[in-house]
Amino acid sequence: MNNRRVIVKVPASTANLGPGFDTLGMALSLYAWVEMSVAERTVLRLYGDEMTGIPEDKSNLIYKVAQLVFKEAGVQVPELDIAMYSNIPLTRGLGSSASAIVGALVAANALIGSPLSDDKLFQMATALEGHPDNVGASLFGGIVVSAWDGERADYVRLAPHKKLEALVAIPAFQLSTEKARHALPKQISMQDAVFNVSRSSLLVAALASGELGLIRHAMRDRLHQPYRAALIPGMAEILAKAADYGALGAALSGAGPTLIAFVESDSPRKQELENFLLGTLKQEGIEAQTLWLKPCAEGPVVTIDQAEAGTESLGLLERIRGEAV
């Protein structure tokens, strides 16, 4: 273990998919990398524009999560050499915290010989994140349907349809999950509850069966999106009209502010849809970046390097960065 260096590539995720609040998640082809090895003293190296403001000491989330793995496995590894590079925007609704948690869990577990099962890692990740949708997608890849009662999380993984593609519009401002959750009501009507149960069930069935034409109707929501719309100007119009511009359906990605629209990969209306999202946000004075992403069918990819850790980390992370760009 002392000369083992573990590199983990973790996908981003989108959660809720409209009606599946804290239940549905999908891994996306946007990634973070966590590198971890045993050290004489703890060192953290953070690379990439998305790492600004992240602590570089033992208060770092990666370090703290790794220590939870070691404690659970009954081993002591107090000092670590950690490096991280990420393309996943922070607090934008694309699972940045979930990818960090999953990356840390998987890297630390691999570093000590993988004594903890995937299910155990999932339970730990869910407890840390507070809901299973993002962490489930990042850990297992594909589309994850999950449930958590506060003690145990269960899930079913679905393979994403080969023609499914996603367009994300990432506004140039951050929105914390805490703030987005504060916008939600403490109670909802029975009518709205039934509406969301029916839409969420229909969406899972559509995704499982490949009936992509049903997504437009199945992604409607009354549980969280209407209450969060005031936090993202232009969102209500985009969700209402995206299908008119070629989308299969559209939703707020996680807690936002990112908006996500799904299309068939061979659709001739992609540019029209992208222009609609950007134009609608711009009318509200919001600059945004768009990315075309595919569902990521696999979870973390683990590489174990027996070379000496430390001085080579920068070079390794730069190579990873080249792969990402």
Side-chain angles (χ1 to χ4, degrees):
M1 183 174 68
N2 288 338
N3 67 342
R4 176 181 294 176
R5 181 172 55 203
V6 174
I7 306 102
V8 178
K9 178 183 179 182
V10 189
S13 59
T14 184
N16 303 328
L17 306 185
F21 184 68
D22 281 0
T23 298
L24 301 181
M26 178 188 293
L28 296 172
S29 58
L30 194 65
Y31 302 96
W33 288 261
V34 174
E35 175 188 287
M36 188 177 296
S37 58
V38 178
E40 293 184 1
R41 65 180 181 85
T42 294
V43 177
L44 284 103
R45 303 176 179 86
L46 306 176
Y47 306 112
D49 296 337
E50 303 302 336
M51 296 287 96
T52 304
I54 303 297
E56 299 184 51
D57 55 25
K58 289 185 178 181
S59 68
N60 183 282
L61 179 64
I62 303 293
Y63 177 86
K64 292 195 292 185
V65 172
Q67 293 304 318
L68 293 176
V69 171
F70 302 147
K71 182 179 180 181
E72 186 69 29
V75 300
Q76 292 187 348
V77 191
E79 307 298 334
L80 293 169
D81 187 309
I82 297 171
M84 184 175 183
Y85 172 76
S86 179
N87 277 336
I88 306 171
L90 295 179
T91 59
R92 294 294 207 285
L94 289 169
S96 58
S97 64
S99 65
I101 288 170
V102 169
L105 288 169
V106 172
N109 193 42
L111 187 64
I112 57 174
S114 300
L116 305 185
S117 67
D118 286 347
D119 180 71
K120 182 61 180 178
L121 297 181
F122 180 46
Q123 304 305 321
M124 294 174 69
T126 299
L128 286 164
E129 182 78 344
H131 44 94
D133 44 5
N134 288 105
V135 294
S138 284
L139 183 59
F140 301 114
I143 301 164
V144 173
V145 186
S146 55
W148 187 49
D149 60 7
E151 295 183 3
R152 174 164 178 82
D154 294 290
Y155 77 96
V156 172
R157 180 192 175 279
L158 304 176
H161 195 283
K162 291 181 180 179
K163 285 190 174 182
L164 197 61
E165 195 168 345
L167 170 65
V168 294
I170 309 169
F173 65 88
Q174 296 183 342
L175 178 60
S176 70
T177 300
E178 182 180 6
K179 182 177 180 180
R181 283 185 180 268
H182 281 166
L184 304 182
K186 295 187 181 300
Q187 293 183 328
I188 61 169
S189 69
M190 176 66 75
Q191 184 180 16
D192 286 348
V194 172
F195 182 94
N196 264 66
V197 169
S198 65
R199 302 297 167 172
S200 182
S201 301
L202 183 63
L203 180 57
V204 170
L207 293 170
S209 64
E211 294 288 342
L212 300 184
L214 289 175
I215 290 177
R216 175 177 185 172
H217 307 290
M219 287 185 74
R220 294 170 62 193
D221 161 74
R222 292 183 184 174
L223 186 58
H224 69 106
Q225 292 179 159
Y227 304 101
R228 289 169 165 172
L231 301 175
I232 305 116
M235 168 183 154
E237 182 177 359
I238 287 172
L239 298 193
K241 298 180 179 179
D244 297 336
Y245 292 85
L248 292 167
L252 181 66
S253 183
T258 294
L259 299 165
I260 186 165
F262 293 102
V263 298
E264 291 193 57
S265 57
D266 57 358
S267 170
R269 304 183 69 186
K270 289 183 180 179
Q271 190 60 57
E272 182 183 355
L273 178 63
E274 186 170 0
N275 291 342
F276 167 64
L277 264 64
L278 289 173
T280 302
L281 292 171
K282 191 170 184 178
Q283 285 179 355
E284 300 291 342
I286 297 173
E287 294 297 325
Q289 172 193 10
T290 53
L291 294 173
W292 285 98
L293 303 173
K294 293 184 179 298
C296 180
E298 62 182 356
V301 176
V302 179
T303 303
I304 297 177
D305 183 356
Q306 296 295 336
E308 193 67 28
T311 57
E312 293 185 18
S313 294
L314 178 58
L316 178 61
L317 265 292
E318 286 301 320
R319 289 198 296 274
I320 292 173
R321 183 174 183 177
E323 174 191 335
V325 172

